Amino acid sequence: ISPDHTTITDRLLKSLPFELTQAQKRVFDQIRQDLARILPANRLVQGDVGSGKTVIAALAATLAIDAHYQVALMAPTEILAEQHYQKIRTWLEPAGVRIAWLAGKQKNKERQSNLAKISSGEAQFIIGTHALIQESVQFKNLGLAIIDEQHRFGVVQRLALRESNQTTIPHLLMLSATPIPRTLAMSYLADLDVSIIDELPAGRKPIETKL
């Protein structure tokens, strides 16, 4: 992906009601370099809950959309997918991005309408659950596939979104709040580039995990 302009990216950065952390800026720069390459990227972004992975995914999406590609974000549950849909709409719809929602609970009329928008390319950013990898979903030009909570999906499911019905292979960006030790990542995820958001935004309370 090599955009000739970054209008939507600039609009989003200017409209955000908060400043990106240095860790977020570093990871976004890595993703920007990935998407500028010819070979499909394969990157995992790790970060604690509240570290700001979603806005990084949204910024990555704007790079692809500015380059006239579609973006798909797949989440493991309808609740999480809908949370992403509502949040990302508030950021990107004011910038002119056309967003579609796809989930199992949709009524058939709404689903068919969204499928038509996806296949025609009218829908630029498609957010949903496993419904995104059904045969009825025909992307026009998917340039970036984003998978949230990637460990909740099987290998076949992750590949299904990337190896969708088109001739080009989209870039792949995976998000996870589950920390993976470096040695394990090197052996288990050898084909992945790994980025870590190791800084919480100002004012965020630390997450406490109790047993």
Side-chain angles (χ1 to χ4, degrees):
I1 294 174
S2 184
D4 53 3
H5 58 82
T6 53
T7 309
I8 299 173
T9 306
D10 289 340
R11 287 181 194 169
L12 177 56
L13 284 169
K14 290 178 182 178
S15 67
L16 289 174
F18 51 83
E19 178 77 16
L20 295 180
T21 64
Q22 291 304 311
Q24 286 174 310
K25 292 176 182 177
R26 183 185 70 248
V27 171
F28 180 48
D29 283 342
Q30 292 169 346
I31 294 170
R32 190 194 291 270
Q33 292 172 29
D34 283 348
L35 269 57
R37 298 187 182 118
I38 297 175
L39 293 176
N42 206 17
R43 184 170 294 276
L44 170 68
V45 175
Q46 293 180 195
D48 287 340
V49 173
S51 64
K53 297 185 297 295
T54 305
V55 72
I56 294 301
L59 284 165
T62 63
L63 294 174
I65 294 167
D66 272 332
H68 312 294
Y69 287 93
Q70 289 176 303
V71 179
L73 188 158
M74 184 168 69
T77 66
E78 288 196 3
I79 291 176
L80 183 56
E82 191 163 4
Q83 286 177 342
H84 283 316
Y85 175 64
Q86 297 297 346
K87 174 61 72 176
I88 289 171
R89 277 182 65 192
T90 64
W91 289 334
L92 296 186
E93 281 191 343
V97 177
R98 299 183 297 275
I99 304 175
W101 158 252
L102 210 58
K105 69 179 182 181
Q106 282 179 312
K107 293 182 178 179
N108 188 57
K109 184 177 180 180
E110 180 185 2
R111 179 179 175 78
Q112 293 304 317
S113 174
N114 283 340
L115 288 174
K117 291 176 182 177
I118 294 168
S119 62
S120 70
E122 180 183 345
Q124 298 168 294
F125 197 158
I126 303 92
I127 300 172
T129 58
H130 302 76
L132 292 178
I133 55 177
Q134 295 178 356
E135 289 185 7
S136 58
V137 182
Q138 301 285 321
F139 294 101
K140 183 178 181 181
N141 60 340
L142 184 64
L144 174 63
I146 303 171
I147 300 177
D148 192 24
E149 296 296 337
Q150 59 89 25
H151 60 283
R152 301 274 295 275
F153 293 99
V155 174
V156 173
Q157 291 173 319
R158 294 200 296 265
L159 292 178
L161 182 58
R162 190 176 201 179
E163 297 174 358
S164 56
N165 37 66
Q166 52 182 34
T167 56
T168 57
I169 299 176
H171 294 291
L172 178 63
L173 180 65
M174 294 184 285
L175 313 176
S176 178
T178 303
I180 302 174
R182 182 174 177 272
T183 50
L184 178 59
M186 290 172 66
S187 58
Y188 179 60
L189 305 171
D191 60 334
L192 285 179
D193 292 309
V194 180
S195 295
I196 301 176
I197 302 178
D198 52 5
E199 180 183 359
L200 287 175
R204 290 286 176 95
K205 294 181 179 179
I207 304 298
E208 290 187 16
T209 303
K210 298 181 180 180
L211 180 62

